[in-house]
Amino acid sequence: MSNDKKSGSTGKAIESAIEKAFDPLASAIKRATQPQATTPAPAVPGKPGLKVSPLAVPFPAIPPIGGVEITTARAGFYKHQRDDLTIFRFARGTTCAGVFTRHKVGSAPVDWCRRQLDAPGGGLDVRALVVNAGCANAFTGKAGADAARRTASEVAKRFGCRQRDVMLASTGVIGVLLDDRKISAKLPEVEARLDSDVPPTEQWAAAGRGIMTTDTFPKGSYAEATIDGFKVRIAGIAKGSGMIAPDMATMLGFIVTDASIHPTVLRALLGLHVRTTFNSVTVDGDTSTNDTCLLFATGASGAPRIGRVGDRRLKDFSVALDKVMLDLAHQLVRDGEGASKFVRITVDGASSPASARKLAKSIADSPLVKTAIAGEDANWGRVVMAVGKTEEPVDRDHLAIKFGPHVAAVDGAVSPTYDEAKMSAYMKRSEIDITVDVGSGRASATVWTCDLTKGYIEINGDYRS
């Protein structure tokens, strides 16, 4: 980021602050598009040449979770050397539920999983998950569907289960047909690796790396809970860096627990928590054709089986699951393509939760707001723009805006205590909070996003190369 100090001082006239706030050509855009000063970073397993996000977090330690084994292999969907095939093998009786993109051009693996899980008895005995990176197998018609089916069939033969008990996910370039022969050819190697003695944390970390595309670090999370006195474990990985504005799921997210939970209950839990986690983050406002989040329960913990939605014994588990999902969702934003700022947008005083959410998303998705943040400019006029364009109920004369603890606007006008120097210093932080009160009610919502820098254009300008 540029380190140019912003002009202005504590005594800057209110009129100047107003003029700057509403100037659509504020200097922030120029600063945000200047070459970024970077420090050397190690190579990452995703796209060659990318540097690890400055907002990256370390992969967590994950202890053994009974009933699941994971491995990766190089199937060759990428030209460069990297693992691009990830396979989970589950114990008999593992249950599963999923949420998927509502994109009108869903991928073949999304269609496959939805069909199997929605069928009578679906999700009651899922034995495998196959994930490939480098090819989305989306917008590939009947040929893509056939490739997905053949993949499930080959894995089912190896694992001694039915096709319907194999879940599929793909990520990568849209419009490219999956060459399922590359997966089939690797299955003997995969079986051998699954039977080898690899520490659990490394299994999960390798899986996190194996599903990456333009991600710059593997994303994982872990939590524990109790069900009726029994300790249960929850672990998950996710991938996503661009084309992130999830609609019922994240780009790809896979969560495993050793609890024993019926698919109907798993589905209810996912539906409960996805709205405030994966569906409350955005990088660029674009929803993927392949968004998939799958939750598996192996039952290996010995905890009693939960078969009823609303069972009070799930209270602690529900909290822990939400923690894992929110952690993974935040990591997607931290790895947003070209991102240098992690931003939390909170809207208060809305007429309804839905209205609050729409207002927060409008701010979080605004290119003008995001470039101003990249330029370290507290351009609250752009926030006003993003709020007003939604046509949601807003009381203009009671509108208030804060950046962290600093008040930019109150009662529909610039704050009499506005301090440009303090505001500029706050905007240099790597984590930014923006709070807006629209004065129309009592509802609130929070959405997480990142800034928009020149790096986003560089990454996506040659995505297929």
Side-chain angles (χ1 to χ4, degrees):
M1 297 302 307
S2 168
N3 290 320
D4 292 348
K5 294 183 179 179
K6 298 182 187 294
S7 62
S9 63
T10 303
K12 185 175 182 179
I14 289 177
E15 290 80 7
S16 297
I18 295 175
E19 180 181 353
K20 180 175 182 179
F22 284 96
D23 178 10
L25 299 176
S27 61
I29 290 180
K30 182 177 180 180
R31 289 196 303 274
T33 56
Q34 288 176 342
Q36 305 287 304
T38 60
T39 56
V44 295
K47 187 175 181 179
L50 297 183
K51 305 299 183 182
V52 176
S53 168
L55 305 172
V57 296
F59 198 87
I62 299 179
I65 296 181
V68 60
E69 300 157 309
I70 315 168
T71 195
T72 62
R74 187 190 178 209
F77 293 108
Y78 286 99
K79 297 177 183 178
H80 56 285
Q81 292 281 344
R82 58 155 289 179
D83 283 358
D84 51 16
L85 176 64
T86 301
I87 295 186
F88 291 61
R89 182 171 65 185
F90 300 105
R92 292 186 181 278
T94 294
T95 56
C96 175
V99 287
F100 306 94
T101 185
R102 290 189 291 196
H103 197 286
K104 299 304 182 184
V105 188
S107 68
V110 164
D111 291 346
W112 173 269
C113 289
R114 184 184 283 123
R115 184 163 62 250
Q116 310 314 321
L117 293 177
D118 287 348
L124 283 172
D125 187 18
V126 171
R127 301 294 305 286
L129 166 64
V130 181
V131 190
N132 75 274
C135 173
N137 198 17
F139 200 57
T140 50
K142 183 179 184 300
D146 289 341
R149 177 187 52 76
R150 287 193 299 267
T151 299
S153 177
E154 288 300 313
V155 173
K157 291 175 185 177
R158 287 279 178 177
F159 291 1
C161 62
R162 301 169 297 180
Q163 285 184 181
R164 63 178 293 176
D165 298 327
V166 177
M167 297 293 106
L168 306 173
S170 298
T171 182
V173 177
I174 295 170
V176 177
L177 178 64
L178 179 73
D179 184 353
D180 55 284
R181 295 171 298 179
K182 292 182 176 181
I183 296 176
S184 299
K186 284 293 175 178
L187 291 182
E189 177 184 329
V190 164
E191 279 193 294
R193 290 189 178 189
L194 284 169
D195 293 330
S196 62
D197 189 15
V198 178
T201 293
E202 180 50 35
Q203 288 185 36
W204 283 96
R209 294 189 296 268
I211 64 176
M212 290 167 56
T213 51
T214 57
D215 303 65
T216 69
F217 66 92
K219 301 161 185 63
S221 188
Y222 173 77
E224 295 180 354
T226 58
I227 294 179
D228 203 22
F230 289 81
K231 182 174 76 172
V232 296
R233 293 169 169 172
I234 309 169
I237 57 172
K239 65 82 53 186
S241 186
M243 204 183 293
I244 295 289
D247 187 10
M248 287 306 294
T250 180
M251 280 193 70
L252 292 182
F254 311 114
I255 304 167
V256 182
T257 178
D258 57 7
S260 180
I261 305 175
H262 192 276
T264 301
V265 182
L266 292 179
R267 190 176 302 114
L269 287 167
L270 275 179
L272 173 66
H273 295 302
V274 75
R275 182 179 64 85
T276 54
T277 59
F278 291 136
N279 277 5
S280 290
V281 297
T282 179
V283 168
D284 50 19
D286 285 335
T287 295
S288 170
T289 56
N290 292 52
D291 285 355
T292 297
C293 181
L294 294 169
L295 174 58
F296 303 88
T298 70
S301 66
R305 186 173 180 81
I306 305 297
R308 182 177 60 85
V309 175
D311 192 315
R312 293 184 178 181
R313 293 175 294 178
L314 276 176
K315 182 178 180 181
D316 191 47
F317 179 87
S318 181
V319 171
L321 177 62
D322 183 79
K323 177 183 176 182
V324 167
M325 292 172 66
L326 186 59
D327 185 18
L328 292 172
H330 283 180
Q331 291 183 53
L332 299 181
V333 172
R334 289 183 175 278
D335 204 14
E337 290 171 341
S340 67
K341 307 281 189 181
F342 179 77
V343 187
R344 179 172 64 183
I345 310 289
T346 301
V347 169
D348 296 323
S351 60
S352 69
S355 179
R357 179 177 169 78
K358 186 174 181 179
L359 287 160
K361 288 273 285 183
S362 179
I363 299 167
D365 280 335
S366 167
L368 286 177
V369 172
K370 291 157 75 72
T371 50
I373 294 170
E376 300 181 345
D377 180 15
N379 196 328
W380 52 269
R382 293 182 178 177
V383 177
V384 171
M385 173 278 299
V387 166
K389 73 177 184 178
T390 64
E391 300 184 1
E392 292 297 309
V394 173
D395 187 337
R396 182 187 63 186
D397 295 332
H398 288 90
L399 189 67
I401 302 170
K402 292 198 304 182
F403 289 77
H406 307 294
V407 180
V410 64
D411 291 333
V414 63
S415 170
T417 62
Y418 183 89
D419 188 320
E420 183 72 18
K422 289 182 178 180
M423 196 71 81
S424 295
Y426 177 78
M427 295 303 292
K428 295 183 183 301
R429 295 163 54 105
S430 61
E431 299 191 11
I432 304 293
D433 282 352
I434 300 176
T435 305
V436 181
D437 192 317
V438 297
S440 295
R442 298 182 178 181
S444 299
T446 300
V447 171
W448 292 267
T449 191
C450 56
D451 55 346
L452 183 59
T453 70
K454 185 179 179 181
Y456 181 87
I457 299 172
E458 292 172 341
I459 292 169
N460 286 285
D462 63 350
Y463 181 80
R464 294 197 302 164
S465 63

